[in-house]
PDB file of all heavy atoms in Angstrom:
ATOM      1  N   MET S  33      34.282  -7.297  -0.164  1.00 92.00           N
ATOM      2  CA  MET S  33      33.839  -8.093   0.970  1.00 92.00           C
ATOM      3  C   MET S  33      32.576  -8.867   0.577  1.00 92.00           C
ATOM      4  O   MET S  33      31.790  -8.416  -0.243  1.00 92.00           O
ATOM      5  CB  MET S  33      33.516  -7.194   2.159  1.00 92.00           C
ATOM      6  CG  MET S  33      34.636  -6.241   2.555  1.00 92.00           C
ATOM      7  SD  MET S  33      36.031  -7.085   3.243  1.00 92.00           S
ATOM      8  CE  MET S  33      35.490  -7.222   4.900  1.00 92.00           C
ATOM      9  N   LEU S  34      32.409 -10.026   1.203  1.00 93.00           N
ATOM     10  CA  LEU S  34      31.227 -10.846   0.972  1.00 93.00           C
ATOM     11  C   LEU S  34      30.665 -11.264   2.320  1.00 93.00           C
ATOM     12  O   LEU S  34      31.372 -11.862   3.135  1.00 93.00           O
ATOM     13  CB  LEU S  34      31.583 -12.090   0.151  1.00 93.00           C
ATOM     14  CG  LEU S  34      30.432 -13.070  -0.112  1.00 93.00           C
ATOM     15  CD1 LEU S  34      29.381 -12.436  -1.023  1.00 93.00           C
ATOM     16  CD2 LEU S  34      30.964 -14.358  -0.728  1.00 93.00           C
ATOM     17  N   ALA S  35      29.396 -10.927   2.569  1.00 95.00           N
ATOM     18  CA  ALA S  35      28.700 -11.356   3.784  1.00 95.00           C
ATOM     19  C   ALA S  35      27.899 -12.604   3.441  1.00 95.00           C
ATOM     20  O   ALA S  35      27.176 -12.624   2.439  1.00 95.00           O
ATOM     21  CB  ALA S  35      27.780 -10.250   4.292  1.00 95.00           C
ATOM     22  N   VAL S  36      28.032 -13.639   4.264  1.00 94.00           N
ATOM     23  CA  VAL S  36      27.350 -14.906   4.037  1.00 94.00           C
ATOM     24  C   VAL S  36      26.522 -15.237   5.278  1.00 94.00           C
ATOM     25  O   VAL S  36      27.072 -15.365   6.373  1.00 94.00           O
ATOM     26  CB  VAL S  36      28.358 -16.051   3.751  1.00 94.00           C
ATOM     27  CG1 VAL S  36      27.630 -17.356   3.494  1.00 94.00           C
ATOM     28  CG2 VAL S  36      29.262 -15.692   2.574  1.00 94.00           C
ATOM     29  N   ALA S  37      25.197 -15.348   5.132  1.00 96.00           N
ATOM     30  CA  ALA S  37      24.306 -15.689   6.244  1.00 96.00           C
ATOM     31  C   ALA S  37      24.269 -17.213   6.363  1.00 96.00           C
ATOM     32  O   ALA S  37      23.718 -17.895   5.510  1.00 96.00           O
ATOM     33  CB  ALA S  37      22.914 -15.137   6.003  1.00 96.00           C
ATOM     34  N   CYS S  38      24.882 -17.729   7.418  1.00 94.00           N
ATOM     35  CA  CYS S  38      25.079 -19.170   7.587  1.00 94.00           C
ATOM     36  C   CYS S  38      24.075 -19.776   8.557  1.00 94.00           C
ATOM     37  O   CYS S  38      23.379 -19.065   9.276  1.00 94.00           O
ATOM     38  CB  CYS S  38      26.492 -19.426   8.106  1.00 94.00           C
ATOM     39  SG  CYS S  38      27.755 -18.746   7.034  1.00 94.00           S
ATOM     40  N   CYS S  39      24.049 -21.088   8.575  1.00 92.00           N
ATOM     41  CA  CYS S  39      23.191 -21.813   9.504  1.00 92.00           C
ATOM     42  C   CYS S  39      23.976 -22.956  10.126  1.00 92.00           C
ATOM     43  O   CYS S  39      24.341 -23.910   9.447  1.00 92.00           O
ATOM     44  CB  CYS S  39      21.958 -22.347   8.786  1.00 92.00           C
ATOM     45  SG  CYS S  39      20.840 -23.237   9.874  1.00 92.00           S
ATOM     46  N   GLU S  40      24.254 -22.814  11.394  1.00 90.00           N
ATOM     47  CA  GLU S  40      24.818 -23.895  12.186  1.00 90.00           C
ATOM     48  C   GLU S  40      23.641 -24.469  12.971  1.00 90.00           C
ATOM     49  O   GLU S  40      22.523 -24.010  12.842  1.00 90.00           O
ATOM     50  CB  GLU S  40      25.902 -23.365  13.133  1.00 90.00           C
ATOM     51  CG  GLU S  40      27.084 -22.721  12.442  1.00 90.00           C
ATOM     52  CD  GLU S  40      27.998 -23.716  11.737  1.00 90.00           C
ATOM     53  OE1 GLU S  40      27.807 -24.941  11.887  1.00 90.00           O
ATOM     54  OE2 GLU S  40      28.893 -23.264  11.017  1.00 90.00           O
ATOM     55  N   THR S  41      23.863 -25.445  13.805  1.00 84.00           N
ATOM     56  CA  THR S  41      22.786 -26.003  14.611  1.00 84.00           C
ATOM     57  C   THR S  41      22.379 -24.971  15.667  1.00 84.00           C
ATOM     58  O   THR S  41      23.147 -24.646  16.555  1.00 84.00           O
ATOM     59  CB  THR S  41      23.241 -27.308  15.284  1.00 84.00           C
ATOM     60  OG1 THR S  41      23.695 -28.184  14.257  1.00 84.00           O
ATOM     61  CG2 THR S  41      22.104 -27.951  16.043  1.00 84.00           C
TER      62      THR S  41
END
Side-chain angles (χ1 to χ4, degrees):
M33 307 291 276
L34 178 67
V36 181
C38 303
C39 181
E40 299 288 353
T41 304

